[in-house]
Amino acid sequence: MKIRPAVSAVALLLLSLAAGAERRCLPDGPDEQILRESDFRWNIDLEEIKARAQELYISPKRLIRKAYFKNGNFVIPIDSFGSVRDVRLTSTFIKSVTLHVEEGLKRRYVDAITFSDMGHSHFFIPQKFYDEVLSPIPIPEKHVFYETMLAHEGLKVLYHTAEQLKMTDDAGQLLPNRHTQWRFFTRNLVGDNGGLGKLELLHNEEHRHNTASTYDPDYRYWGGGFYISAHADGCFPFQHNGKTYYFDLNLDGI
């Protein structure tokens, strides 16, 4: 009897995604409506963030140049010095981000997958990997830089959640709301890129809004990360409270 080799969890994920990708994971259309900064407000309460996220989930507005399925791969178009180039995504990266979303919601570190809450990321890059592999990549090859970086399983992903949530009063004191205070103290999430879905918490007592950007001396902070936004027609599925939802992902923001 011929024994088939075991299929890894990330390979199974990619196969399941690819099965519906040609229908769901499409490039931007000519009449695509895109999310803009004007679609969001600052210093709003949690109920407004969640209500707005529900509105945007079924609205026609999507992230610009979002990830899609092309020739058997998931790619993100990125504006690279005047020309749009594709960044190929690994199945491990996709699984990692999906698990970050699921774990964040499960632990109530996050209430909505939208710019106002968990909607953008930054990176902590191993310094040795940056010096030896990423730094030599020519500046005009921005797409190669990002493709190489996102494929590296030692990369750490930093999410500044509660991005537009009002958490303090005019004097800088925390609002007297238990869950709002929980969101304040748990707003810096650091996720792995190895497909484990592990989340760490950072805290910055010196910053009024507890915004942290320091992780470890062996890692280099990189500000330009990806954006995610939940949408009914989104490409990537995630589970929450026994239901399936979807999100889009891009590198050019809103």
Side-chain angles (χ1 to χ4, degrees):
M1 183 178 73
K2 185 177 180 180
I3 299 177
R4 298 179 61 185
V7 180
S8 69
V10 290
L12 286 173
L13 171 73
L14 190 60
L15 287 171
S16 63
L17 285 174
E22 293 186 3
R23 173 184 60 83
R24 180 173 283 279
C25 302
L26 304 174
D28 294 1
D31 300 319
E32 189 98 6
Q33 295 189 42
I34 61 174
L35 284 171
R36 301 180 182 277
E37 290 185 17
S38 58
D39 291 310
F40 304 93
R41 295 199 310 115
W42 294 90
N43 293 319
I44 58 178
D45 64 35
L46 195 55
E47 293 309 310
E48 183 175 348
I49 286 178
K50 292 192 288 187
R52 184 61 176 144
Q54 290 177 350
E55 292 174 5
L56 291 174
Y57 190 74
I58 58 174
S59 82
K61 294 189 174 185
R62 312 274 294 276
L63 290 175
I64 188 172
R65 288 189 281 274
K66 58 190 179 295
Y68 70 100
F69 195 64
K70 177 182 179 182
N71 299 329
N73 293 290
F74 290 95
V75 302
I76 303 180
I78 186 173
D79 187 349
S80 182
F81 296 92
S83 63
V84 178
R85 307 293 293 272
D86 287 336
V87 173
R88 288 175 297 180
L89 303 177
T90 68
S91 54
T92 301
F93 169 77
I94 296 170
K95 181 182 180 183
S96 297
V97 176
T98 302
L99 291 176
H100 298 162
V101 168
E102 293 179 342
E103 192 69 9
L105 288 167
K106 176 183 177 182
R107 295 180 178 273
R108 298 200 72 190
Y109 295 154
V110 175
D111 287 281
I113 309 305
T114 183
F115 175 73
S116 296
D117 192 352
M118 185 183 186
H120 74 287
S121 73
H122 313 283
F123 300 122
F124 292 122
I125 309 170
Q127 187 66 54
K128 187 173 186 294
F129 177 72
Y130 179 85
D131 293 338
E132 297 178 358
V133 179
L134 294 179
S135 183
I137 297 174
I139 292 177
E141 295 185 13
K142 183 179 178 181
H143 62 294
V144 177
F145 181 97
Y146 271 89
E147 184 170 302
T148 306
M149 177 170 59
L150 297 181
H152 185 57
E153 295 190 8
L155 184 73
K156 301 289 185 180
V157 182
L158 169 65
Y159 302 92
H160 288 147
T161 68
E163 178 70 9
Q164 295 183 312
L165 176 63
K166 182 175 176 59
M167 297 179 287
T168 60
D169 59 22
D170 293 339
Q173 299 300 309
L174 284 175
L175 297 177
N177 178 283
R178 184 170 181 171
H179 187 58
T180 299
Q181 292 187 6
W182 168 255
R183 294 301 314 277
F184 175 87
F185 286 110
T186 63
R187 70 174 303 246
N188 302 293
L189 308 182
V190 178
D192 73 294
N193 194 36
L196 301 177
K198 180 182 178 182
L199 290 177
E200 303 173 69
L201 297 177
L202 298 182
H203 185 62
N204 184 0
E205 294 183 3
E206 298 179 358
H207 193 278
R208 174 170 176 165
H209 296 109
N210 184 26
T211 302
S213 57
T214 301
Y215 178 66
D216 182 282
D218 291 331
Y219 285 78
R220 178 190 184 96
Y221 173 79
W222 189 266
F226 56 83
Y227 284 65
I228 52 178
S229 185
H231 196 278
D233 295 324
C235 180
F236 304 108
F238 67 95
Q239 303 292 316
H240 180 53
N241 288 338
K243 296 181 179 180
T244 301
Y245 300 90
Y246 297 87
F247 69 88
D248 289 318
L249 187 152
N250 81 351
L251 285 167
D252 284 336
I254 56 172

